[in-house]
Amino acid sequence: MPPDGLPPPSWRITLPHSTAAVPIARALIRTVLADIDAPADSDTAELLTAELVANAVEHTPGDEPIELVVELLPSGCQVEVHDGDPAPPGDLSRPEPDDVPDPWQEHGRGPLLIRTLSSSCGHRTTERGKAVWFTLPPK
């Protein structure tokens, strides 16, 4: 917790529910991590954020905007992507040995990347749908 009981630095932006959100999110996460002087690896944050945003666009119905939230925590940096669909995302738990994605397929590696490169990840329901998140440790 920062001094004087202030909440940790955070940043929030609304993105369009379209494929255009992915490159926007990549640029924004790099910028925000520099702006809040986050002690996390910006390349990894950019990759995992792009995965979460792409999944939200591809797997949630409708055209409601997506929200990107970044919060600096004592344990590192947490990134959340909020969407309007309450259905849980693809499995973010550790896979069984038979659940390894086919490396020749175009889709299906996002959850593996998120599980492997983050220090923790998951999802939670929200008033408007769900938030899918990952945490990166300090560099």
Side-chain angles (χ1 to χ4, degrees):
M1 183 72 92
D4 301 328
L6 297 173
S10 65
W11 187 81
R12 177 181 302 256
I13 189 160
T14 301
L15 300 169
H17 191 278
S18 74
T19 56
V22 177
I24 295 169
R26 290 182 80 109
L28 291 173
I29 192 71
R30 185 168 293 281
T31 301
V32 73
L33 290 178
D35 284 351
I36 63 175
D37 198 25
D41 176 16
S42 61
D43 291 335
T44 302
E46 187 178 336
L47 172 65
L48 300 184
T49 300
E51 287 294 332
L52 288 185
V53 171
N55 285 345
V57 169
E58 183 175 344
H59 298 293
T60 60
D63 58 358
E64 287 186 36
I66 296 165
E67 190 171 47
L68 176 63
V69 179
V70 182
E71 187 173 10
L72 186 57
L73 304 171
S75 59
C77 178
Q78 182 163 304
V79 176
E80 293 184 344
V81 174
H82 295 239
D83 64 55
D85 185 1
D91 190 9
L92 291 174
S93 62
R94 298 292 172 210
E96 298 296 320
D98 295 339
D99 292 339
V100 176
D102 181 346
W104 299 106
Q105 295 299 314
E106 185 175 333
H107 300 286
R109 292 183 298 277
L112 175 64
L113 285 171
I114 294 165
R115 287 190 307 261
T116 303
L117 297 176
S118 69
S119 57
S120 60
C121 60
H123 72 280
R124 62 184 170 80
T125 57
T126 64
E127 282 185 22
R128 167 178 113 65
K130 72 176 168 298
V132 184
W133 57 270
F134 65 85
T135 303
L136 292 177
K139 288 192 243 185

